[in-house]
Amino acid sequence: MVENIQQIAQEIEAAPLTNPAELEQFRIAYIGRKGRIAALFDNLKQVAPELRREVGQHLNSLKNRAQERFDQAQEQLASAADQNADTGFDFSLPTVPNTLGTRHPLSLVRQEIVRIFERIGFNVAEGPEMEDDWHNFSALNFPENHPAREMQDTFFLSENKEKLLRTHTSTVQVRLMENNQPPLRSIMPGRVYRNEAISARAHMVFHQVEGLYVNKGVSFKDLKETLYYFAKEMFGQDTQIRFRPSFFPFTEPSAEIDITCFICKGEGCNICKGSGWVEIGGSGMVDPAVLHSSGIDPEVYSGFAFGMGIERITMLRYQIKDLRLFTENDVRFLRQFEGVI
């Protein structure tokens, strides 16, 4: 038995382990369950009892040495494979440039909207995207359990519904009126959230721009002239605008804003569904209750407000038919706007 152990020990030390095939043969011959070392352990019971302890120690040493030799060879082969893989790369090859897009179309349109309104005295006001019930609903004439709240599916952030993601940028109007006294003339561009199914025409995250003008003697005529100016600057001087009666809790009277279709110039096409008009937003005179709740005397001051979806304006201006393109970050889509100023 001892002679066999010594012979196998010599074979283990001399065994070539230079490739995966030789390593596998070594494992089967010496380490595997049916290998030669395992056979020696099976024959240990035939050794005389007084020698069994000593022979067993030699067998354990043989087994450990075989495993050690196997592990070392396996590590060396793996390291060599990694080195070969690294050296296989040609570092002299030219670099692959990063594929870049350009300014996002929503950013382009937002900047243009800001520039247009700045020219007639509007500044930019911003507010938090995480809001409370008061600024998002109650202060805007949306009392609790009012049916108008059903128009806006809301992401609430707490069980008591006191914290939420704003559903419109009208919240900034409230904060502006609470913290400042008239005259007020601002636009409020920003991101808003509504729990809606994502499709080519709707998204759970989108952008709005709203406007507010509060001063003594502000009338619906001022609202109309402001929006006439905006429509002509944004869509062209031949653009016409019309107002259709509507309902919004925070304005009275209220009106939807339509412009002549820029494709067919009012003749009727598939874009405007044959009507010659496309809707761009809503507007109206600020409800006296909203002025009062924000600390402004409605007997002294009046004001108008309007709101538009930036995605809607962008889709109309650049004839984009799928709203999802704005959030997919496809460079091929973004590079189409390289020449836009």
Side-chain angles (χ1 to χ4, degrees):
M1 173 71 76
V2 175
E3 293 178 356
N4 288 338
I5 293 175
Q6 292 175 348
Q7 180 181 355
I8 293 175
Q10 293 174 359
E11 293 177 0
I12 288 173
E13 296 299 332
L17 301 176
T18 58
N19 56 61
E22 292 177 347
L23 189 66
E24 180 63 13
Q25 291 177 2
F26 181 90
R27 185 191 68 80
I28 295 173
Y30 301 107
I31 299 177
R33 292 182 179 180
K34 298 181 180 181
R36 297 174 65 182
I37 295 177
L40 290 177
F41 273 100
D42 291 339
N43 296 330
L44 186 61
K45 58 188 177 182
Q46 300 176 5
V47 177
E50 64 274 12
L51 299 175
R52 195 172 296 168
R53 178 183 179 84
E54 180 183 357
V55 173
Q57 291 177 348
H58 286 300
L59 279 176
N60 284 328
S61 299
L62 181 66
K63 179 181 178 181
N64 292 336
R65 177 53 185 162
Q67 186 66 50
E68 181 183 0
R69 182 88 201 282
F70 177 83
D71 292 341
Q72 291 175 347
Q74 188 177 46
E75 184 178 350
Q76 291 173 357
L77 289 174
S79 177
D82 292 340
Q83 292 177 359
N84 291 334
D86 291 341
T87 57
F89 181 78
D90 186 356
F91 289 96
S92 66
L93 290 173
T95 59
V96 178
N98 292 328
T99 303
L100 301 177
T102 183
R103 287 184 296 171
H104 198 281
L106 293 179
S107 298
L108 293 168
V109 171
R110 171 176 167 153
Q111 291 167 3
E112 180 62 19
I113 292 172
V114 170
R115 283 195 293 265
I116 291 172
F117 282 106
E118 281 181 340
R119 290 198 289 266
I120 54 176
F122 283 78
N123 57 27
V124 176
E126 297 181 338
E129 295 180 8
M130 187 177 74
E131 270 292 2
D132 52 42
D133 182 275
W134 169 257
H135 290 94
N136 198 84
F137 291 121
S138 300
L140 291 165
N141 217 22
F142 286 89
E144 189 175 358
N145 298 322
H146 192 284
R149 292 198 182 201
E150 297 297 324
M151 299 167 61
Q152 301 182 15
D153 294 328
T154 307
F155 287 108
F156 291 99
L157 304 179
S158 61
E159 292 184 1
N160 60 8
K161 298 187 177 181
E162 282 301 317
K163 294 295 182 181
L164 52 91
L165 296 177
R166 66 183 182 186
T167 60
H168 45 201
T169 52
S170 302
T171 59
V172 186
Q173 297 186 29
V174 177
R175 292 182 176 275
L176 186 66
M177 290 188 288
E178 286 178 339
N179 298 313
N180 301 274
Q181 285 298 310
L184 304 172
R185 184 156 47 186
S186 299
I187 59 171
M188 302 87 181
R191 184 166 47 215
V192 298
Y193 306 84
R194 295 185 188 176
N195 187 15
E196 298 184 5
I198 298 176
S199 67
R201 305 289 295 176
H203 205 287
M204 58 182 286
V205 181
F206 55 100
H207 299 77
Q208 284 186 339
V209 57
E210 299 196 15
L212 174 70
Y213 179 39
V214 179
N215 204 349
K216 296 179 180 179
V218 177
S219 67
F220 203 93
K221 178 180 182 297
D222 298 312
L223 170 63
K224 292 173 65 176
E225 292 297 333
T226 299
L227 293 177
Y228 281 146
Y229 174 80
F230 166 75
K232 291 180 181 294
E233 290 294 312
M234 176 60 72
F235 299 105
Q237 293 300 313
D238 57 346
T239 303
Q240 299 181 29
I241 190 170
R242 74 175 183 183
F243 296 85
R244 289 181 291 109
S246 185
F247 166 78
F248 302 107
F250 35 84
T251 55
E252 182 60 38
S254 303
E256 301 283 357
I257 311 166
D258 296 338
I259 62 170
T260 48
C261 178
F262 54 89
I263 300 297
C264 64
K265 305 302 180 182
E267 297 295 327
C269 65
N270 62 329
I271 299 296
C272 61
K273 299 180 181 180
S275 68
W277 299 89
V278 291
E279 178 186 335
I280 63 170
S283 64
M285 299 300 295
V286 179
D287 194 297
V290 174
L291 293 174
H292 184 268
S293 66
S294 300
I296 296 177
D297 188 351
E299 297 295 330
V300 179
Y301 297 99
S302 59
F304 66 72
F306 59 85
M308 295 170 280
I310 297 180
E311 278 87 350
R312 175 70 170 166
I313 296 175
T314 306
M315 293 176 76
L316 291 173
R317 183 163 185 174
Y318 298 121
Q319 301 182 39
I320 300 170
K321 297 182 180 181
D322 195 327
L323 192 69
R324 292 168 292 192
L325 289 170
F326 293 132
T327 53
E328 289 179 347
N329 294 324
D330 190 331
V331 175
R332 295 170 299 177
F333 168 72
L334 298 177
R335 291 184 67 181
Q336 298 178 55
F337 300 90
E338 285 181 335
V340 179
I341 299 177

